[in-house]
Amino acid sequence: MPAHFAILRTAKLKSLGNVSASLSHTYRTRETPNADPSRADQNEHSHATPAEVLQAFKERLPNKRRKDAVLGIEYFVSASPEWFKGRDRAFVDGYFAQSLAWLRERHGEENVVGWSIHCDESSPHLVAYVVPRDGDTLNANKTLGGRAAPSRTHTGRAAEAQPPHEPERRIEST
């Protein structure tokens, strides 16, 4: 039986324009060729519109910040497409609920300002938006860590997954 792997990716959002562009893809307000429009009603969002997420995002930003600060982090959480085959929506929702709980614990519930679950593509996935607050400042470096941090984060998330929501952690490179 082939291995089924957990997928966790992050992207730094350095401007409100980056946030808006990401939200337009997430909320399907722009053409998304890899999404099936007939399944768009299966998607779930934390807010009714991308404008509401953008507003929540702005409200979490400190008044004073460096002009080169990373304003947000976009998380993408999924698993190998084969892992989802034959799973019902309750299972998929459970996997993503666990992932959201992990993000809220890691970053603080108030800093996870929006999320979407997409079921209109080949693999269901969660997209979550986090403001990297460290007290009164933005600090994406501390939030994400150094160069090896993405691997440690991925390993930590995989280790914390509870049965039956535990796809394998990919083999780490050395």
Side-chain angles (χ1 to χ4, degrees):
M1 181 172 171
H4 301 155
F5 295 112
I7 299 169
L8 174 69
R9 292 192 308 252
T10 60
K12 293 179 181 178
L13 304 172
K14 297 182 178 184
S15 70
L16 291 175
N18 292 147
V19 174
S20 293
S22 177
L23 286 168
S24 69
H25 171 81
T26 299
Y27 276 78
R28 308 299 195 235
T29 58
R30 71 175 185 201
E31 188 175 339
T32 307
N34 56 323
D36 179 353
S38 70
R39 294 179 14 207
D41 62 330
Q42 296 176 23
N43 295 341
E44 184 181 344
H45 306 285
S46 61
H47 296 75
T49 68
E52 290 177 17
V53 179
L54 186 60
Q55 184 59 38
F57 208 96
K58 289 176 180 178
E59 289 171 5
R60 279 303 297 152
L61 293 173
N63 291 331
K64 289 182 142 187
R65 57 185 179 265
R66 293 171 46 140
K67 68 178 184 177
D68 64 345
V70 172
L71 303 182
I73 301 164
E74 177 190 282
Y75 277 88
F76 176 94
V77 180
S78 190
S80 304
E82 302 80 22
W83 189 69
F84 288 108
K85 296 268 192 258
R87 310 276 192 173
D88 64 10
R89 182 61 192 252
F91 179 89
V92 171
D93 287 346
Y95 177 62
F96 294 132
Q98 219 179 63
S99 298
L100 271 171
W102 175 79
L103 284 169
R104 288 174 173 140
E105 183 178 320
R106 179 177 170 83
H107 298 291
E109 186 165 352
E110 68 281 2
N111 293 322
V112 180
V113 295
W115 55 266
S116 293
I117 296 172
H118 287 164
C119 292
D120 62 350
E121 295 183 41
S122 60
S123 287
H125 57 272
L126 167 75
V127 178
Y129 297 93
V130 173
V131 176
R133 293 278 307 238
D134 181 27
D136 291 334
T137 63
L138 295 174
N139 192 339
N141 285 337
K142 183 175 180 182
T143 300
L144 292 175
R147 181 173 241 166
S151 180
R152 287 192 309 269
T153 300
H154 194 174
T155 300
R157 169 63 189 113
E160 291 179 23
Q162 301 296 311
H165 305 109
E166 50 185 332
E168 294 179 39
R169 166 66 168 100
R170 276 189 196 251
I171 299 166
E172 292 185 59
S173 60
T174 56

